[in-house]
Amino acid sequence: MSTSPSKFSWYLAGVVGQFLPWGINSVLFTWMIAVYLEEGGVRLGIAQMCIQLPGLVFILFGGLLADKVDRRTILIVFQFLAALPVFTLALLIEISSLSYLMLIVFGVGVGSFNAFIQPARDSALNQVSGPNIQQAVTITMGLSFFAQIVGFGFAGQADTAGPAPLLLIQGTVLLFGALVALKLPSSMPKRTSFAEYGGKDSKSVFGDISDGLSLIFHSPRMLPVMILMFSVGVFYMGAFSVLNPLAVRDVYGGAAFDIALSYMCFMVGTIIVTIILVATGGIRRQGLGLMIALVAGGFCLILTNLRLPFYGYLFCIGLWGMCGGVAMSLGRAIVQESAPENYRARALSIYSLGTLGGAPIGAVSMGYFASVMGPLLGFFVAAAGVFFTVVVVSIMTSLSTVDRLQK
């Protein structure tokens, strides 16, 4: 497949249209609960679970839809729909007071639509990029991180601007993402049989999803990645979405700008390592690199218990982001390279499910640990959980021998 610079550029513009609003939402949603409503760790964990849980429910259906329907159409429709709860919340804030229940409903809506957007965008990448999939994945991830940083910067103004204007920006950029998708080529998936890949044809929706799951669970390359991603969802996503903002608030006395700054440092770390990966052509020993990156990230979290000054804490978060950038790039590249074309969306949705499936558990459990032992000691629990999973995967699977496929 030859590279199409113009198509890839429009694709990257759509990435900005998705992830800049998500960056605003990540900080603003947390700020509205932890700072504006002054809720504790458990209530913050429950709220974060509600924004993550729809992905767990709908992501496989989103992947199946992207394998059956024009992915451009999916992106247009669901980016538009994703803007509706954002504008609705802004209107409700203007005419009434903000409530916890209101945010729960908002979180469910936003999470539901994103579960259909992400698989369509992931699977469309192969149709607009060149043969070096790992490089295309890395560039896309780097831009998504940068777009989120810009979103964090907007949301960091919540203390002075209030939530309503920021929600209007978030919704407007989502609509921009829907318009940009009009420039993408039509991408009707190929109608080929799963039997070509050693499986059985199925007629039902659940049968098609089962085929995708079977593909993953019988793959020595992809299954270990899914196990690790579930661990990341439980421990690292819980640490990022719950422990980190609580540490900023409770240990360092921070507010919206400081929470945004901690998120920015994580993403800056991912961007730095993304640039390095692109410049060096990527990592050949993908499986081993993935495991090393996850372990190194855990040590970065443990360092926060040294009670460093705030900028030292931010430095540790930035290093954690560098490790996370390596892990996310390699994990997604393994799946992107390994999955058959007409099952790629389902495989990538299951990859996302690996993280999303653990995220609600992580949000609630890390909120509990934060309330019992404090957020910094909670980082110890997160690191230990990932360390244990990496050891089990390294012993029980051959992930350490997985190398980059030559396309």
Side-chain angles (χ1 to χ4, degrees):
M1 180 171 54
S2 61
T3 304
S4 176
S6 61
K7 293 177 183 179
F8 189 48
S9 296
W10 285 116
Y11 178 88
L12 294 178
V15 170
V16 173
Q18 177 185 352
F19 284 96
L20 193 155
W22 191 253
I24 295 175
N25 190 81
S26 297
V27 175
L28 186 60
F29 187 75
T30 303
W31 174 85
M32 287 188 288
I33 295 167
V35 179
Y36 191 84
L37 297 180
E38 298 182 335
E39 300 288 354
V42 173
R43 297 262 283 184
L44 174 59
I46 292 171
Q48 294 287 11
M49 178 189 71
C50 288
I51 205 170
Q52 296 159 355
L53 197 59
L56 176 62
V57 175
F58 295 123
I59 192 75
L60 294 182
F61 293 97
L64 176 61
L65 188 68
D67 275 333
K68 301 290 186 180
V69 178
D70 181 12
R71 293 154 190 161
R72 178 181 63 182
T73 301
I74 295 173
L75 291 173
I76 295 168
V77 171
F78 281 94
Q79 285 265 154
F80 175 81
L81 291 175
L84 296 182
V86 178
F87 287 128
T88 301
L89 182 62
L91 178 62
L92 291 174
I93 290 173
E94 286 298 303
I95 63 178
S96 65
S97 59
L98 184 65
S99 70
Y100 183 75
L101 179 60
M102 192 184 298
L103 289 175
I104 294 295
V105 175
F106 167 77
V108 170
V110 170
S112 297
F113 293 127
N114 195 60
F116 289 90
I117 294 170
Q118 195 60 49
R121 190 172 304 284
D122 287 342
S123 55
L125 175 60
N126 292 65
Q127 296 180 302
V128 297
S129 65
N132 191 335
I133 300 300
Q134 185 183 148
Q135 186 178 59
V137 168
T138 304
I139 292 171
T140 300
M141 285 182 54
L143 184 62
S144 71
F145 298 147
F146 177 78
Q148 287 181 78
I149 288 176
V150 176
F152 297 157
F154 279 113
Q157 307 305 311
D159 291 318
T160 55
L166 297 173
L167 287 167
L168 292 177
I169 296 172
Q170 180 180 342
T172 300
V173 180
L174 282 168
L175 293 180
F176 164 78
L179 292 175
V180 165
L182 290 169
K183 293 290 188 177
L184 295 177
S186 179
S187 52
M188 290 301 294
K190 290 171 62 179
R191 306 294 182 182
T192 54
S193 169
F194 182 57
E196 296 178 23
Y197 301 99
K200 297 179 179 179
D201 288 331
S202 55
K203 301 294 185 182
S204 69
V205 169
F206 289 101
D208 285 335
I209 291 175
S210 177
D211 282 346
L213 289 169
S214 178
L215 181 72
I216 294 293
F217 283 107
H218 288 87
S219 170
R221 289 176 59 89
M222 292 188 281
L223 179 59
V225 174
M226 299 302 161
I227 296 171
L228 289 177
M229 288 304 105
F230 182 80
S231 174
V232 167
V234 172
F235 298 106
Y236 283 173
M237 282 195 68
F240 183 77
S241 64
V242 177
L243 294 180
N244 173 56
L246 289 177
V248 173
R249 186 193 71 176
D250 298 341
V251 178
Y252 296 101
F257 177 78
D258 305 292
I259 293 172
L261 192 59
S262 69
Y263 284 5
M264 286 181 187
C265 287
F266 181 91
M267 293 301 176
V268 167
T270 62
I271 289 176
I272 290 172
V273 82
T274 296
I275 293 172
I276 294 172
L277 289 174
V278 172
T280 59
I283 296 173
R284 184 178 64 85
R285 298 292 301 276
Q286 292 175 326
L288 182 61
L290 171 60
M291 292 189 290
I292 291 174
L294 291 177
V295 171
F299 281 114
C300 295
L301 291 182
I302 290 173
L303 286 176
T304 63
N305 282 269
L306 296 176
R307 293 282 177 168
L308 303 166
F310 185 53
Y311 288 105
Y313 173 83
L314 293 178
F315 181 72
C316 290
I317 296 298
L319 292 177
W320 183 36
M322 294 184 71
C323 298
V326 174
M328 287 184 283
S329 176
L330 294 178
R332 188 169 294 275
I334 290 171
V335 176
Q336 200 102 20
E337 291 176 353
S338 304
E341 181 179 350
N342 66 317
Y343 276 75
R344 188 167 291 122
R346 262 165 286 186
L348 289 168
S349 69
I350 296 167
Y351 168 85
S352 297
L353 180 65
T355 305
L356 293 171
I361 301 171
V364 175
S365 60
M366 291 302 112
Y368 170 76
F369 285 121
S371 65
V372 171
M373 62 179 62
L376 294 185
L377 284 176
F379 283 138
F380 262 113
V381 177
V386 172
F387 290 169
F388 175 77
T389 309
V390 169
V391 169
V392 171
V393 167
S394 66
I395 294 173
M396 302 297 294
T397 75
S398 58
L399 182 62
S400 62
T401 66
V402 169
D403 292 349
R404 181 169 59 194
L405 293 179
Q406 298 299 321
K407 295 288 185 180

